[in-house]
mmCIF file of all heavy atoms in Angstrom:
data_model
loop_
_atom_site.group_PDB
_atom_site.id
_atom_site.type_symbol
_atom_site.label_atom_id
_atom_site.label_comp_id
_atom_site.label_asym_id
_atom_site.label_seq_id
_atom_site.Cartn_x
_atom_site.Cartn_y
_atom_site.Cartn_z
ATOM 1 N N GLY A 7 0.830 -1.207 0.000
ATOM 2 C CA GLY A 7 0.000 0.000 0.000
ATOM 3 C C GLY A 7 0.859 1.250 0.000
ATOM 4 O O GLY A 7 2.009 1.247 -0.450
ATOM 5 N N THR A 8 0.317 2.331 0.538
ATOM 6 C CA THR A 8 1.053 3.595 0.544
ATOM 7 C C THR A 8 2.275 3.556 1.456
ATOM 8 O O THR A 8 3.157 4.393 1.323
ATOM 9 C CB THR A 8 0.137 4.763 0.972
ATOM 10 O OG1 THR A 8 -0.438 4.461 2.237
ATOM 11 C CG2 THR A 8 -0.944 5.017 -0.062
ATOM 12 N N SER A 9 2.341 2.586 2.353
ATOM 13 C CA SER A 9 3.523 2.450 3.216
ATOM 14 C C SER A 9 4.430 1.313 2.746
ATOM 15 O O SER A 9 5.206 0.769 3.516
ATOM 16 C CB SER A 9 3.101 2.247 4.672
ATOM 17 O OG SER A 9 2.197 1.180 4.796
ATOM 18 N N ARG A 10 4.374 0.990 1.449
ATOM 19 C CA ARG A 10 5.113 -0.150 0.913
ATOM 20 C C ARG A 10 6.624 -0.033 1.054
ATOM 21 O O ARG A 10 7.324 -1.034 0.960
ATOM 22 C CB ARG A 10 4.735 -0.413 -0.539
ATOM 23 C CG ARG A 10 5.101 0.673 -1.505
ATOM 24 C CD ARG A 10 4.548 0.367 -2.904
ATOM 25 N NE ARG A 10 4.556 1.543 -3.732
ATOM 26 C CZ ARG A 10 3.555 2.414 -3.799
ATOM 27 N NH1 ARG A 10 2.473 2.237 -3.091
ATOM 28 N NH2 ARG A 10 3.632 3.469 -4.579
ATOM 29 N N ARG A 11 7.139 1.148 1.300
ATOM 30 C CA ARG A 11 8.582 1.261 1.509
ATOM 31 C C ARG A 11 9.028 0.443 2.724
ATOM 32 O O ARG A 11 10.164 0.001 2.792
ATOM 33 C CB ARG A 11 9.017 2.717 1.622
ATOM 34 C CG ARG A 11 8.512 3.420 2.863
ATOM 35 C CD ARG A 11 8.895 4.893 2.965
ATOM 36 N NE ARG A 11 10.295 5.030 3.300
ATOM 37 C CZ ARG A 11 11.162 5.751 2.587
ATOM 38 N NH1 ARG A 11 10.771 6.412 1.539
ATOM 39 N NH2 ARG A 11 12.414 5.818 2.954
ATOM 40 N N LEU A 12 8.107 0.200 3.683
ATOM 41 C CA LEU A 12 8.450 -0.621 4.845
ATOM 42 C C LEU A 12 8.629 -2.085 4.457
ATOM 43 O O LEU A 12 9.411 -2.798 5.073
ATOM 44 C CB LEU A 12 7.363 -0.515 5.923
ATOM 45 C CG LEU A 12 7.177 0.850 6.559
ATOM 46 C CD1 LEU A 12 6.038 0.803 7.562
ATOM 47 C CD2 LEU A 12 8.465 1.321 7.207
ATOM 48 N N GLY A 13 7.892 -2.532 3.469
ATOM 49 C CA GLY A 13 7.971 -3.919 3.040
ATOM 50 C C GLY A 13 9.169 -4.230 2.184
ATOM 51 O O GLY A 13 9.465 -5.392 1.927
ATOM 52 N N SER A 14 9.867 -3.198 1.746
ATOM 53 C CA SER A 14 11.029 -3.436 0.895
ATOM 54 C C SER A 14 12.309 -2.845 1.487
ATOM 55 O O SER A 14 13.370 -3.023 0.928
ATOM 56 C CB SER A 14 10.793 -2.829 -0.497
ATOM 57 O OG SER A 14 10.595 -1.435 -0.390
ATOM 58 N N GLY A 15 12.215 -2.169 2.610
ATOM 59 C CA GLY A 15 13.372 -1.514 3.193
ATOM 60 C C GLY A 15 14.011 -2.302 4.318
ATOM 61 O O GLY A 15 13.793 -3.508 4.475
ATOM 62 N N ALA A 16 14.781 -1.593 5.131
ATOM 63 C CA ALA A 16 15.534 -2.211 6.215
ATOM 64 C C ALA A 16 14.633 -2.827 7.282
ATOM 65 O O ALA A 16 15.049 -3.748 7.982
ATOM 66 C CB ALA A 16 16.449 -1.169 6.852
ATOM 67 N N LEU A 17 13.399 -2.354 7.406
ATOM 68 C CA LEU A 17 12.497 -2.868 8.436
ATOM 69 C C LEU A 17 11.668 -4.058 7.958
ATOM 70 O O LEU A 17 10.836 -4.574 8.708
ATOM 71 C CB LEU A 17 11.561 -1.757 8.921
ATOM 72 C CG LEU A 17 12.245 -0.546 9.548
ATOM 73 C CD1 LEU A 17 11.229 0.470 9.991
ATOM 74 C CD2 LEU A 17 13.123 -0.969 10.711
ATOM 75 N N ARG A 18 11.890 -4.501 6.756
ATOM 76 C CA ARG A 18 11.110 -5.597 6.167
ATOM 77 C C ARG A 18 11.074 -6.829 7.069
ATOM 78 O O ARG A 18 10.038 -7.468 7.232
ATOM 79 C CB ARG A 18 11.690 -5.939 4.808
ATOM 80 C CG ARG A 18 11.037 -7.080 4.135
ATOM 81 C CD ARG A 18 11.669 -7.300 2.789
ATOM 82 N NE ARG A 18 11.381 -8.644 2.326
ATOM 83 C CZ ARG A 18 11.934 -9.192 1.302
ATOM 84 N NH1 ARG A 18 12.826 -8.525 0.602
ATOM 85 N NH2 ARG A 18 11.627 -10.401 0.942
ATOM 86 N N ALA A 19 12.189 -7.174 7.692
ATOM 87 C CA ALA A 19 12.264 -8.372 8.528
ATOM 88 C C ALA A 19 11.363 -8.278 9.761
ATOM 89 O O ALA A 19 11.016 -9.298 10.348
ATOM 90 C CB ALA A 19 13.706 -8.616 8.963
ATOM 91 N N LEU A 20 10.965 -7.080 10.143
ATOM 92 C CA LEU A 20 10.082 -6.915 11.303
ATOM 93 C C LEU A 20 8.624 -7.167 10.957
ATOM 94 O O LEU A 20 7.776 -7.208 11.851
ATOM 95 C CB LEU A 20 10.237 -5.509 11.893
ATOM 96 C CG LEU A 20 11.591 -5.191 12.517
ATOM 97 C CD1 LEU A 20 11.631 -3.742 12.989
ATOM 98 C CD2 LEU A 20 11.898 -6.146 13.656
ATOM 99 N N ALA A 21 8.306 -7.311 9.676
ATOM 100 C CA ALA A 21 6.926 -7.517 9.212
ATOM 101 C C ALA A 21 5.983 -6.496 9.852
ATOM 102 O O ALA A 21 4.971 -6.861 10.446
ATOM 103 C CB ALA A 21 6.460 -8.946 9.499
ATOM 104 N N PRO A 22 6.304 -5.197 9.724
ATOM 105 C CA PRO A 22 5.479 -4.185 10.393
ATOM 106 C C PRO A 22 4.073 -4.104 9.813
ATOM 107 O O PRO A 22 3.828 -4.489 8.671
ATOM 108 C CB PRO A 22 6.242 -2.884 10.131
ATOM 109 C CG PRO A 22 6.994 -3.139 8.869
ATOM 110 C CD PRO A 22 7.339 -4.604 8.892
ATOM 111 N N ALA A 23 3.171 -3.599 10.629
ATOM 112 C CA ALA A 23 1.787 -3.345 10.221
ATOM 113 C C ALA A 23 1.532 -1.864 10.424
ATOM 114 O O ALA A 23 1.990 -1.281 11.407
ATOM 115 C CB ALA A 23 0.826 -4.171 11.072
ATOM 116 N N GLY A 24 0.812 -1.230 9.501
ATOM 117 C CA GLY A 24 0.541 0.186 9.704
ATOM 118 C C GLY A 24 -0.248 0.812 8.587
ATOM 119 O O GLY A 24 -0.515 0.188 7.559
ATOM 120 N N LYS A 25 -0.601 2.057 8.809
ATOM 121 C CA LYS A 25 -1.437 2.806 7.865
ATOM 122 C C LYS A 25 -1.002 4.247 7.828
ATOM 123 O O LYS A 25 -0.781 4.869 8.860
ATOM 124 C CB LYS A 25 -2.906 2.710 8.308
ATOM 125 C CG LYS A 25 -3.874 3.416 7.399
ATOM 126 C CD LYS A 25 -4.019 2.679 6.070
ATOM 127 C CE LYS A 25 -5.000 3.377 5.137
ATOM 128 N NZ LYS A 25 -4.378 4.320 4.244
ATOM 129 N N THR A 26 -0.894 4.785 6.612
ATOM 130 C CA THR A 26 -0.592 6.206 6.426
ATOM 131 C C THR A 26 -1.894 7.001 6.372
ATOM 132 O O THR A 26 -2.970 6.441 6.159
ATOM 133 C CB THR A 26 0.159 6.459 5.110
ATOM 134 O OG1 THR A 26 -0.673 6.040 4.032
ATOM 135 C CG2 THR A 26 1.486 5.744 5.066
ATOM 136 N N GLY A 27 -1.758 8.289 6.514
ATOM 137 C CA GLY A 27 -2.907 9.164 6.362
ATOM 138 C C GLY A 27 -2.473 10.577 6.030
ATOM 139 O O GLY A 27 -1.386 11.016 6.412
ATOM 140 N N THR A 28 -3.323 11.273 5.297
ATOM 141 C CA THR A 28 -3.082 12.666 4.916
ATOM 142 C C THR A 28 -4.405 13.401 5.018
ATOM 143 O O THR A 28 -5.417 12.933 4.492
ATOM 144 C CB THR A 28 -2.569 12.751 3.461
ATOM 145 O OG1 THR A 28 -1.457 11.875 3.302
ATOM 146 C CG2 THR A 28 -2.173 14.177 3.107
ATOM 147 N N SER A 29 -4.401 14.548 5.685
ATOM 148 C CA SER A 29 -5.638 15.320 5.789
ATOM 149 C C SER A 29 -5.852 16.152 4.527
ATOM 150 O O SER A 29 -4.970 16.238 3.662
ATOM 151 C CB SER A 29 -5.601 16.236 7.017
ATOM 152 O OG SER A 29 -4.597 17.212 6.852
ATOM 153 N N ASN A 30 -7.017 16.770 4.434
ATOM 154 C CA ASN A 30 -7.319 17.645 3.298
ATOM 155 C C ASN A 30 -6.243 18.704 3.146
ATOM 156 O O ASN A 30 -5.733 19.226 4.121
ATOM 157 C CB ASN A 30 -8.674 18.320 3.507
ATOM 158 C CG ASN A 30 -9.804 17.319 3.498
ATOM 159 O OD1 ASN A 30 -9.642 16.193 3.070
ATOM 160 N ND2 ASN A 30 -10.944 17.744 3.991
ATOM 161 N N ASP A 31 -5.910 19.009 1.940
ATOM 162 C CA ASP A 31 -4.919 20.040 1.620
ATOM 163 C C ASP A 31 -3.533 19.735 2.188
ATOM 164 O O ASP A 31 -2.724 20.642 2.343
ATOM 165 C CB ASP A 31 -5.382 21.421 2.092
ATOM 166 C CG ASP A 31 -6.710 21.820 1.489
ATOM 167 O OD1 ASP A 31 -6.940 21.504 0.301
ATOM 168 O OD2 ASP A 31 -7.534 22.430 2.197
ATOM 169 N N SER A 32 -3.267 18.478 2.544
ATOM 170 C CA SER A 32 -1.955 18.054 3.065
ATOM 171 C C SER A 32 -1.503 18.850 4.286
ATOM 172 O O SER A 32 -0.318 19.089 4.483
ATOM 173 C CB SER A 32 -0.888 18.130 1.963
ATOM 174 O OG SER A 32 -1.211 17.254 0.918
ATOM 175 N N ARG A 33 -2.453 19.245 5.126
ATOM 176 C CA ARG A 33 -2.077 19.957 6.361
ATOM 177 C C ARG A 33 -1.463 19.004 7.374
ATOM 178 O O ARG A 33 -0.659 19.411 8.189
ATOM 179 C CB ARG A 33 -3.291 20.656 6.970
ATOM 180 C CG ARG A 33 -3.785 21.836 6.157
ATOM 181 C CD ARG A 33 -4.891 22.561 6.888
ATOM 182 N NE ARG A 33 -5.927 21.643 7.339
ATOM 183 C CZ ARG A 33 -7.139 21.534 6.802
ATOM 184 N NH1 ARG A 33 -7.472 22.306 5.799
ATOM 185 N NH2 ARG A 33 -8.018 20.687 7.271
ATOM 186 N N ASP A 34 -1.896 17.757 7.340
ATOM 187 C CA ASP A 34 -1.415 16.774 8.311
ATOM 188 C C ASP A 34 -0.974 15.512 7.581
ATOM 189 O O ASP A 34 -1.619 15.059 6.641
ATOM 190 C CB ASP A 34 -2.527 16.392 9.292
ATOM 191 C CG ASP A 34 -3.049 17.579 10.055
ATOM 192 O OD1 ASP A 34 -2.342 18.025 10.967
ATOM 193 O OD2 ASP A 34 -4.154 18.054 9.731
ATOM 194 N N SER A 35 0.113 14.954 8.062
ATOM 195 C CA SER A 35 0.645 13.690 7.562
ATOM 196 C C SER A 35 0.813 12.804 8.785
ATOM 197 O O SER A 35 1.393 13.222 9.784
ATOM 198 C CB SER A 35 2.003 13.952 6.900
ATOM 199 O OG SER A 35 2.774 12.779 6.809
ATOM 200 N N TRP A 36 0.286 11.571 8.736
ATOM 201 C CA TRP A 36 0.438 10.695 9.882
ATOM 202 C C TRP A 36 0.708 9.262 9.450
ATOM 203 O O TRP A 36 0.401 8.856 8.333
ATOM 204 C CB TRP A 36 -0.759 10.768 10.832
ATOM 205 C CG TRP A 36 -2.086 10.423 10.212
ATOM 206 C CD1 TRP A 36 -2.986 11.289 9.678
ATOM 207 C CD2 TRP A 36 -2.658 9.120 10.047
ATOM 208 N NE1 TRP A 36 -4.074 10.601 9.201
ATOM 209 C CE2 TRP A 36 -3.899 9.269 9.419
ATOM 210 C CE3 TRP A 36 -2.232 7.832 10.369
ATOM 211 C CZ2 TRP A 36 -4.719 8.187 9.107
ATOM 212 C CZ3 TRP A 36 -3.050 6.755 10.058
ATOM 213 C CH2 TRP A 36 -4.281 6.953 9.437
ATOM 214 N N PHE A 37 1.298 8.518 10.356
ATOM 215 C CA PHE A 37 1.472 7.085 10.177
ATOM 216 C C PHE A 37 1.352 6.427 11.534
ATOM 217 O O PHE A 37 1.988 6.846 12.501
ATOM 218 C CB PHE A 37 2.834 6.731 9.561
ATOM 219 C CG PHE A 37 3.002 5.246 9.373
ATOM 220 C CD1 PHE A 37 2.378 4.601 8.321
ATOM 221 C CD2 PHE A 37 3.751 4.497 10.266
ATOM 222 C CE1 PHE A 37 2.500 3.220 8.154
ATOM 223 C CE2 PHE A 37 3.875 3.119 10.106
ATOM 224 C CZ PHE A 37 3.246 2.488 9.051
ATOM 225 N N ALA A 38 0.511 5.408 11.621
ATOM 226 C CA ALA A 38 0.368 4.601 12.827
ATOM 227 C C ALA A 38 0.825 3.196 12.481
ATOM 228 O O ALA A 38 0.342 2.617 11.501
ATOM 229 C CB ALA A 38 -1.075 4.591 13.299
ATOM 230 N N GLY A 39 1.766 2.670 13.234
ATOM 231 C CA GLY A 39 2.278 1.343 12.917
ATOM 232 C C GLY A 39 2.851 0.640 14.123
ATOM 233 O O GLY A 39 3.129 1.248 15.158
ATOM 234 N N TYR A 40 3.039 -0.673 13.965
ATOM 235 C CA TYR A 40 3.573 -1.466 15.062
ATOM 236 C C TYR A 40 4.340 -2.670 14.542
ATOM 237 O O TYR A 40 4.179 -3.098 13.403
ATOM 238 C CB TYR A 40 2.470 -1.899 16.034
ATOM 239 C CG TYR A 40 1.260 -2.583 15.420
ATOM 240 C CD1 TYR A 40 1.099 -3.962 15.498
ATOM 241 C CD2 TYR A 40 0.269 -1.851 14.777
ATOM 242 C CE1 TYR A 40 -0.018 -4.584 14.976
ATOM 243 C CE2 TYR A 40 -0.857 -2.468 14.246
ATOM 244 C CZ TYR A 40 -0.994 -3.843 14.340
ATOM 245 O OH TYR A 40 -2.102 -4.457 13.812
ATOM 246 N N THR A 41 5.211 -3.165 15.407
ATOM 247 C CA THR A 41 5.976 -4.380 15.154
ATOM 248 C C THR A 41 5.663 -5.339 16.298
ATOM 249 O O THR A 41 4.705 -5.140 17.036
ATOM 250 C CB THR A 41 7.486 -4.074 15.098
ATOM 251 O OG1 THR A 41 7.897 -3.590 16.372
ATOM 252 C CG2 THR A 41 7.822 -3.058 14.016
ATOM 253 N N GLY A 42 6.501 -6.344 16.471
ATOM 254 C CA GLY A 42 6.261 -7.312 17.532
ATOM 255 C C GLY A 42 6.485 -6.783 18.933
ATOM 256 O O GLY A 42 6.079 -7.404 19.902
ATOM 257 N N ARG A 43 7.106 -5.624 19.079
ATOM 258 C CA ARG A 43 7.389 -5.103 20.414
ATOM 259 C C ARG A 43 6.941 -3.659 20.622
ATOM 260 O O ARG A 43 6.717 -3.250 21.766
ATOM 261 C CB ARG A 43 8.885 -5.205 20.692
ATOM 262 C CG ARG A 43 9.246 -4.720 22.093
ATOM 263 C CD ARG A 43 10.688 -4.897 22.417
ATOM 264 N NE ARG A 43 10.904 -6.289 22.814
ATOM 265 C CZ ARG A 43 12.095 -6.792 23.056
ATOM 266 N NH1 ARG A 43 13.168 -6.051 22.908
ATOM 267 N NH2 ARG A 43 12.228 -8.039 23.417
ATOM 268 N N HIS A 44 6.829 -2.868 19.572
ATOM 269 C CA HIS A 44 6.538 -1.443 19.741
ATOM 270 C C HIS A 44 5.401 -0.977 18.846
ATOM 271 O O HIS A 44 5.193 -1.520 17.765
ATOM 272 C CB HIS A 44 7.783 -0.600 19.409
ATOM 273 C CG HIS A 44 8.945 -0.894 20.282
ATOM 274 N ND1 HIS A 44 9.957 -1.726 19.889
ATOM 275 C CD2 HIS A 44 9.262 -0.479 21.533
ATOM 276 C CE1 HIS A 44 10.856 -1.806 20.860
ATOM 277 N NE2 HIS A 44 10.452 -1.070 21.862
ATOM 278 N N LEU A 45 4.733 0.064 19.307
ATOM 279 C CA LEU A 45 3.688 0.742 18.545
ATOM 280 C C LEU A 45 3.955 2.239 18.656
ATOM 281 O O LEU A 45 4.299 2.724 19.734
ATOM 282 C CB LEU A 45 2.307 0.430 19.126
ATOM 283 C CG LEU A 45 1.140 1.173 18.491
ATOM 284 C CD1 LEU A 45 -0.068 0.269 18.399
ATOM 285 C CD2 LEU A 45 0.790 2.432 19.278
ATOM 286 N N ALA A 46 3.808 2.960 17.549
ATOM 287 C CA ALA A 46 3.991 4.409 17.584
ATOM 288 C C ALA A 46 3.148 5.060 16.492
ATOM 289 O O ALA A 46 2.866 4.452 15.463
ATOM 290 C CB ALA A 46 5.466 4.788 17.384
ATOM 291 N N VAL A 47 2.763 6.289 16.767
ATOM 292 C CA VAL A 47 2.064 7.120 15.783
ATOM 293 C C VAL A 47 2.928 8.352 15.554
ATOM 294 O O VAL A 47 3.318 9.027 16.512
ATOM 295 C CB VAL A 47 0.665 7.540 16.268
ATOM 296 C CG1 VAL A 47 -0.003 8.462 15.257
ATOM 297 C CG2 VAL A 47 -0.194 6.318 16.550
ATOM 298 N N ALA A 48 3.250 8.618 14.302
ATOM 299 C CA ALA A 48 4.018 9.817 13.951
ATOM 300 C C ALA A 48 3.081 10.786 13.238
ATOM 301 O O ALA A 48 2.249 10.373 12.424
ATOM 302 C CB ALA A 48 5.184 9.447 13.034
ATOM 303 N N TRP A 49 3.210 12.056 13.563
ATOM 304 C CA TRP A 49 2.367 13.094 12.966
ATOM 305 C C TRP A 49 3.244 14.269 12.578
ATOM 306 O O TRP A 49 4.121 14.679 13.333
ATOM 307 C CB TRP A 49 1.292 13.542 13.949
ATOM 308 C CG TRP A 49 0.533 14.746 13.493
ATOM 309 C CD1 TRP A 49 -0.476 14.794 12.589
ATOM 310 C CD2 TRP A 49 0.743 16.105 13.930
ATOM 311 N NE1 TRP A 49 -0.917 16.085 12.435
ATOM 312 C CE2 TRP A 49 -0.189 16.904 13.247
ATOM 313 C CE3 TRP A 49 1.620 16.704 14.822
ATOM 314 C CZ2 TRP A 49 -0.261 18.285 13.429
ATOM 315 C CZ3 TRP A 49 1.549 18.077 15.001
ATOM 316 C CH2 TRP A 49 0.601 18.838 14.310
ATOM 317 N N VAL A 50 3.011 14.798 11.395
ATOM 318 C CA VAL A 50 3.660 16.020 10.936
ATOM 319 C C VAL A 50 2.534 16.939 10.498
ATOM 320 O O VAL A 50 1.698 16.568 9.673
ATOM 321 C CB VAL A 50 4.612 15.765 9.741
ATOM 322 C CG1 VAL A 50 5.210 17.072 9.247
ATOM 323 C CG2 VAL A 50 5.686 14.763 10.117
ATOM 324 N N GLY A 51 2.471 18.117 11.092
ATOM 325 C CA GLY A 51 1.401 19.040 10.751
ATOM 326 C C GLY A 51 1.873 20.479 10.823
ATOM 327 O O GLY A 51 2.982 20.770 11.252
#
């Protein structure tokens, strides 16, 4: 999907799960994801 760089990059072995998001007019950019040990949400606005 839109976060496919995770499936082909250095984190591929972690088999991460997550979802990207963008608000109207690109005011906000977010990603929520997790691996076997950690979960984090990153936001840029």
Side-chain angles (χ1 to χ4, degrees):
T8 56
S9 53
R10 65 186 164 271
R11 67 182 286 126
L12 295 178
S14 61
L17 299 180
R18 177 178 160 190
L20 294 177
K25 181 71 180 92
T26 61
T28 308
S29 66
N30 295 345
D31 302 322
S32 298
R33 290 186 310 253
D34 301 285
S35 160
W36 58 266
F37 180 77
Y40 52 103
T41 63
R43 182 176 279 174
H44 299 99
L45 175 142
V47 177
W49 171 79
V50 177

